[in-house]
Amino acid sequence: MKYTHLGRTGLQVSRLVLGTMNFGPQTDEADSHTIMDAALEAGINFFDTANVYGWGADKGRTEEILGSWFAKGDGRRERTVLATKVYGHMGADGESVWPNHHKLSALNIRRAVDASLKRLGTDYIDLYQFHHVDRDTPWDEIWQAIDVLVQQGKILYAGSSNHAGWHIAQANEAARRRSSYGLVSEQCLYNLAERRAEMEVIPAAEAYGLGIIPWSPLHGGLLGGALRKEREGGGSRSTSGRAADALTDPAVRAQIQAYEDLADKHGLRPGEVALAWLLTRPAVTGPIVGPRTTEQLASALRAVELTLPQELLTSLDEIFPGPGPSPEAFAW
C-alpha cells in the first residue's frame, strides 16, 4: 500500500479509502468484519462511514458494525484512521424530523458526535465530516462547536462532503478569522465520467490545502466494465440503477464501449483504470472503494500499483473530456 498526507495535515493515510456504506444493508456483520480485516492486512488504514449509513429504519447500523469490529481488539482501532459524517437525521425514512435533530447546529453536532462515538465504541473520531452544506447555520457557529470537540479530544480534524468550491472558501476563511484549523478534506463526486469538480472544487481544495476524497469512483459501476458484465449476464448485480439507465443512451453506451476497448488494448481492467486515473489527479488523497466482497477489495488494491502510461491518460481525456479550467470553462 502507498500512503500520503491528508491535505495539509501531518496525518498519513492510505491511497485507497475503505467505504463502509454497504456494511449492514448489503453485507452482513461477519462478512463486513472479514472485509475490514483484509483491508487492514493489505495496508488500508483509512475507513469512511457516516452516522446515517444502514439507511431506512437501520440508520446507525454501519457504525455499530465498525464498533463491534473495533471491539475485537488487536490494534484495530489504533491502526485505523476513522472518518464519519454528520448532517442527516437519524429517524426512519419518511419520519418527521424533530427540531434540532439534523443539520449542523452546534446542538445537533454535539448530540450527533456523542451518538456516533457510542455506536463506534471509541472515544475519538479522526475525521469528522459535514455530510452536506447547511445553508441555515453560520460557519462561526459550526467552528465554535468543532473547536470545543477538538479541545475535548472527541475529534481531531474536520472535513466537508458535497460542498462547492465557494463553500470551502467560505468555511476556511471563517476558520481563519477564529484561528481554527478549518477543513482538511472534501469528499465529493469525482470520476472519469463526472469531472465537474475540476472547475471549482479541486482548485479550492488545492488553494486551502484540502485532500480530495472522491466517492463513486466507478460512477455506480459504469466505469467498472459495465458492458462486458452486461454481456456476461452480471450487469444488474454490479451496476446501479442510474448507471444502467445511462447505458440506454446510445452516446453514453458508445463512450463506455470506447473506454472498455481502450482498457483491453492496454491489458487492463476498466475498474482498475478508473481508480488509477483518480490517483494521478491533483489534490486527490484517495478514492473511496465500497467492496461488498473480498474479491472486489482485491481488484481495487491492484489499482494502487498501476502506473498509467501517458498515451493511455491522453486517450482517457479524449473519451472523457474534462470541463476545462475555471473560469474559461464557462466564460471567454
Side-chain angles (χ1 to χ4, degrees), residues 6-9 17 46 48 85 127-133 139 158-169 171-172 182-190 197 200-206 208-215 282-288:
L6 178 61
R8 65 186 182 281
T9 76
V17 184
F46 197 5
D48 176 74
K85 307 183 192 78
L127 177 64
Y128 201 47
Q129 301 163 108
F130 311 127
H131 210 162
H132 199 274
V133 177
W139 280 106
S160 59
S161 181
N162 305 305
H163 283 47
W166 76 272
H167 293 130
I168 292 171
N172 274 21
L183 301 173
V184 302
S185 63
E186 159 61 19
Q187 188 176 136
C188 62
L189 175 61
Y190 184 38
E200 298 282 359
V201 175
I202 292 175
E206 288 185 284
Y208 285 99
L210 277 65
I212 292 289
I213 307 171
W215 60 265
V284 167
T285 297
I288 297 174

Side-chain angles (χ1 to χ4, degrees), residues 45-61:
N45 74 334
F46 197 5
F47 290 16
D48 176 74
T49 191
N51 61 348
V52 294
Y53 289 174
W55 307 111
D58 293 319
K59 291 176 181 176
R61 177 61 182 143

Side-chain angles (χ1 to χ4, degrees), residues 16-32:
L16 288 181
V17 184
L18 182 70
T20 63
M21 189 168 64
N22 291 321
F23 296 174
Q26 298 191 44
T27 306
D28 65 24
E29 183 167 347
D31 287 343
S32 298

Side-chain angles (χ1 to χ4, degrees), residues 2-224:
K2 297 177 182 177
Y3 300 89
T4 188
H5 288 102
L6 178 61
R8 65 186 182 281
T9 76
L11 185 67
Q12 293 190 59
V13 294
S14 49
R15 295 300 317 268
L16 288 181
V17 184
L18 182 70
T20 63
M21 189 168 64
N22 291 321
F23 296 174
Q26 298 191 44
T27 306
D28 65 24
E29 183 167 347
D31 287 343
S32 298
H33 285 196
T34 298
I35 291 171
M36 287 188 280
D37 281 335
L40 205 59
E41 183 178 350
I44 296 178
N45 74 334
F46 197 5
F47 290 16
D48 176 74
T49 191
N51 61 348
V52 294
Y53 289 174
W55 307 111
D58 293 319
K59 291 176 181 176
R61 177 61 182 143
T62 304
E63 286 188 333
E64 290 174 350
I65 289 174
L66 268 77
S68 65
W69 182 72
F70 289 142
K72 290 183 174 182
D74 197 26
R76 284 176 171 83
R77 176 64 187 97
E78 292 76 11
R79 289 187 286 163
T80 300
V81 175
L82 174 63
T84 192
K85 307 183 192 78
V86 57
Y87 180 84
H89 72 89
M90 298 300 289
D93 291 348
E95 196 175 279
S96 60
V97 183
W98 190 256
N100 304 311
H101 278 66
H102 69 317
K103 297 191 176 181
L104 302 179
S105 69
L107 176 57
N108 189 56
I109 287 174
R110 175 178 177 173
R111 176 186 292 120
V113 76
D114 285 342
S116 284
L117 289 170
K118 183 177 180 179
R119 287 188 293 266
L120 290 162
T122 186
D123 57 4
Y124 73 101
I125 293 162
D126 297 284
L127 177 64
Y128 201 47
Q129 301 163 108
F130 311 127
H131 210 162
H132 199 274
V133 177
D134 184 351
R135 296 178 174 89
D136 298 321
T137 304
W139 280 106
D140 280 340
E141 178 181 347
I142 294 170
W143 288 129
Q144 180 186 51
I146 293 300
D147 289 345
V148 169
L149 295 179
V150 170
Q151 291 161 9
Q152 292 174 335
K154 293 182 178 180
I155 69 170
L156 301 182
Y157 303 96
S160 59
S161 181
N162 305 305
H163 283 47
W166 76 272
H167 293 130
I168 292 171
Q170 190 180 43
N172 274 21
E173 288 302 323
R176 191 198 307 270
R177 290 193 299 270
R178 295 178 50 85
S179 297
S180 300
Y181 200 52
L183 301 173
V184 302
S185 63
E186 159 61 19
Q187 188 176 136
C188 62
L189 175 61
Y190 184 38
N191 55 55
L192 274 166
E194 177 49 83
R195 296 179 59 172
R196 285 178 293 177
E198 294 175 0
M199 273 199 292
E200 298 282 359
V201 175
I202 292 175
E206 288 185 284
Y208 285 99
L210 277 65
I212 292 289
I213 307 171
W215 60 265
S216 194
L218 302 186
H219 208 52
L222 197 66
L223 301 171

Side-chain angles (χ1 to χ4, degrees), residues 232-311:
E232 295 171 353
S236 62
R237 296 191 301 271
S238 55
T239 308
S240 73
R242 183 181 298 177
D245 290 345
L247 287 175
T248 63
D249 183 333
V252 172
R253 197 174 185 87
Q255 185 182 43
I256 297 303
Q257 187 63 66
Y259 167 64
E260 293 187 13
D261 290 345
L262 178 65
D264 286 342
K265 174 184 174 182
H266 288 267
L268 299 171
R269 301 181 185 185
E272 295 168 15
V273 170
L275 292 174
W277 177 82
L278 280 169
L279 293 173
T280 70
R281 308 309 298 166
V284 167
T285 297
I288 297 174
V289 296
R292 294 187 295 273
T293 65
T294 53
E295 291 76 16
Q296 291 178 345
L297 175 63
S299 176
L301 287 166
R302 288 191 290 270
V304 180
E305 304 304 322
L306 284 182
T307 300
L308 301 182
Q310 186 57 51
E311 175 194 353

